[in-house]
């Protein structure tokens, strides 16, 4: 069994060694330009087109993350980047759910306890207690109730918040009101005071976080975007902040990353910027899942995390 590995920034040696330990029968190699030797599996993140195009014999392509929008965009822009008919698989959780729970809870509590405003007051040396938000009037809406969204929702319910979710199909999550489909998006947004975005970036969801959507939220709403920058109309958020429709936002992802030094988000008093770190790929847990999936495929079974290329996630 031959396994190819490519990631623009990860340390390849730890991956090659880790995979070889988990799959002793495999020969694992880092892909180099010009390498068109046979391979059964490819582990990739932002692969150069020549790596996979016209490559036959692959039994599976593993994305080294949860979101596969970038690799599917490569395929749309240069058809054939991904060999047709080869299963594309993504990471499901592998330690990212815990990280995402931490990230979202950190900012939910920051906004719910008005710590963002106390931070601004401190800069003015202003000693001024603020009226606390009331949990029963602080509904949290999660867009994208999948592997990450569901776990975030359950953690927020456990803290006593009123939580609702929006997804393509109905979800059964204890204590969480489920909305699904575009036709029910207005009902989901109505009276939502804090919106968390955990959608995949697909042709259906790109640009979904626009001013028209923000205006459907409760007044002085909060936004946490930990999904993809492509979801957010950045100028619309600045307008919504200026108009008071949105009180504050925590953004981990951006249309262009790294965020340009001159971007207004860096200095905006009610925007918090983090550098796409909400939930990172944890090599050990990722390799455990990938190795298990390879074993499943080798035994004629069904691997987890299979991507529907047409659906986009
Ligand atoms: N910022 C980070 O560090 C970070 C880390 C991991 C993942 N992510 C992002 O989070 C996203 C979600 O990850 P996941 O593992 O939970 O994905 P998932 O596929 O398990 O869940 C996706 C959810 O979105 C819903 N959805 C998809 N298309 C929809 C549509 N058109 N309308 C309504 N709902 C729709 C699905 O029903 C599902 O509930 C990833 O695609 C990735 O972009 C970001
Ligand atoms: O999708 C993911 O896994 C994270 O956003 C890292 O890119």
């Amino acid at each position: 069994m031959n396994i190819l590995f490519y990631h623009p920034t990860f340390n390849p040696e730890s991956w090659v060694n880790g995979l070889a330990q988990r799959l002793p029968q495999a020969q694992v190699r880092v892909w180099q330009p010009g390498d068109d030797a046979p391979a059964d599996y490819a582990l990739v993140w932002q692969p150069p087109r020549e790596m996979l195009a016209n490559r036959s014999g692959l039994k599976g392509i593993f994305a080294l993350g949860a979101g596969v929008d970038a690799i599917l965009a490569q395929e749309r822009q240069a058809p054939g980047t991904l060999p047709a008919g080869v299963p594309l698989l993504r990471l499901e959780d592998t330690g990212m759910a815990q990280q995402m729970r931490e990230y979202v809870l950190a900012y939910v509590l920051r906004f719910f306890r008005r710590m963002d405003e106390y931070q601004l007051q401190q800069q003015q040396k202003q000693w001024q207690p603020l009226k606390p938000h009331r949990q029963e009037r602080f509904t949290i809406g999660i867009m994208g109730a999948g592997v990450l969204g569901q776990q975030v929702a359950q953690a927020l319910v456990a803290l006593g918040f009123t939580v609702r979710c929006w997804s393509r199909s109905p979800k059964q999550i204890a204590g969480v009101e489920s909305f699904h489909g575009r036709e029910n998006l207005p009902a989901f947004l109505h009276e939502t005071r804090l919106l968390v975005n955990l959608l995949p970036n697909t042709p259906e969801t790109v640009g979904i976080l626009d001013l028209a959507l923000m205006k459907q939220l409760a007044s002085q709403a909060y936004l946490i975007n930990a999904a993809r920058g492509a979801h957010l109309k950045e100028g619309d958020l600045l307008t919504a902040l200026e108009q008071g429709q949105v009180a504050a936002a925590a953004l981990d992802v951006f249309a262009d990353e790294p965020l340009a030094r001159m971007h207004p988000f860096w200095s905006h008093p009610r925007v918090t910027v983090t550098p796409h770190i909400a939930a990172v790929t944890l090599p050990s847990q990722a390799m455990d899942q990938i190795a298990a999936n390879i074993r499943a495929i080798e035994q004629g079974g069904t691997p987890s995390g299979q991507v529907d290329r047409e659906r986009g996630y």
Side-chain angles (χ1 to χ4, degrees):
M1 179 198 303
N2 292 296
I3 299 175
L4 277 178
F5 177 88
Y6 178 86
H7 192 289
T9 58
F10 284 178
N11 167 11
E13 188 177 349
S14 60
W15 283 80
V16 169
N17 294 338
L19 287 163
Q21 285 168 6
R22 290 165 174 83
L23 297 163
Q25 72 281 27
Q27 289 73 47
V28 188
R29 68 181 192 268
V30 179
W31 181 84
Q32 301 291 348
D35 176 353
D36 56 7
D40 299 287
Y41 298 97
L43 280 54
V44 299
W45 192 255
Q46 297 172 359
R49 187 175 190 286
E50 63 173 297
M51 176 181 178
L52 301 176
N54 310 315
R55 179 177 284 277
S56 60
L58 283 173
K59 302 175 189 173
I61 300 168
F62 291 88
L64 295 170
V68 291
D69 48 324
I71 196 167
L72 292 179
Q74 283 181 268
E75 173 60 20
R76 282 197 302 273
Q77 286 151 19
T81 297
L82 294 176
V86 178
L88 173 63
L89 303 113
R90 71 186 194 95
L91 296 178
E92 289 189 324
D93 190 349
T94 64
M96 287 188 271
Q98 172 64 25
Q99 294 175 74
M100 195 58 82
R101 282 197 297 267
E102 293 161 356
Y103 185 91
V104 172
L105 262 59
Y107 286 103
V108 164
L109 293 175
R110 173 179 168 82
F111 295 143
F112 177 65
R113 291 300 306 270
R114 306 186 73 169
M115 296 301 179
D116 56 322
E117 295 170 86
Y118 286 122
Q119 192 170 352
L120 292 174
Q121 287 188 169
Q122 180 177 338
Q123 291 167 8
Q124 307 302 322
K125 297 185 175 57
Q126 186 181 2
W127 180 281
Q128 180 56 55
L130 299 170
K131 184 181 177 188
H133 290 316
R134 291 165 49 198
Q135 244 187 1
E136 62 271 19
R137 297 175 59 82
F138 200 88
T139 299
I140 298 175
I142 299 175
M143 298 180 84
V147 168
L148 300 181
Q150 291 191 30
Q151 298 223 15
V152 167
Q154 288 165 348
L156 291 167
V157 167
L159 282 179
F161 287 101
T162 300
V163 183
R164 56 179 53 170
C165 67
W166 182 67
S167 52
R168 276 166 66 103
S169 55
K171 301 286 182 182
Q172 302 293 329
I173 309 168
V176 177
E177 187 177 9
S178 168
F179 295 78
H180 69 279
R182 275 282 175 161
E183 65 279 12
N184 296 308
L185 183 55
F188 163 79
L189 295 169
H190 180 61
E191 294 184 346
T192 289
R193 184 66 189 274
L194 189 152
L195 185 66
V196 181
N197 179 34
L198 285 171
L199 289 166
N201 175 26
T202 71
E204 281 184 21
T205 64
V206 64
I208 194 168
L209 301 179
D210 61 9
L211 187 58
L213 178 140
M214 294 173 212
K215 285 185 171 179
Q216 297 177 65
L217 297 166
S219 179
Q220 290 286 299
Y222 298 92
L223 171 66
I224 299 173
N225 188 17
R228 285 292 186 263
H231 291 127
L232 177 63
K233 295 280 183 71
E234 295 181 349
D236 283 13
L237 175 57
L238 291 171
T239 301
L241 285 162
E242 187 182 329
Q243 294 177 349
Q245 177 57 54
V246 171
L251 308 174
D252 186 55
V253 288
F254 304 88
D256 296 309
E257 296 179 6
L259 188 65
R261 288 180 60 81
M262 299 310 292
H263 197 291
F265 283 161
W266 282 116
S267 56
H268 196 293
R270 284 176 281 123
V271 173
T272 301
V273 170
T274 52
H276 201 144
I277 48 79
V280 300
T281 298
L282 301 177
S284 179
Q285 297 187 52
M287 283 189 270
D288 287 345
Q289 187 174 93
I290 291 169
N293 276 331
I294 287 176
R295 283 191 286 269
I297 294 169
E298 290 293 306
Q299 294 159 16
T302 303
S304 65
Q306 189 147 342
V307 171
D308 178 326
R309 295 191 192 187
E310 291 308 309
R311 198 177 62 173
Y313 70 102

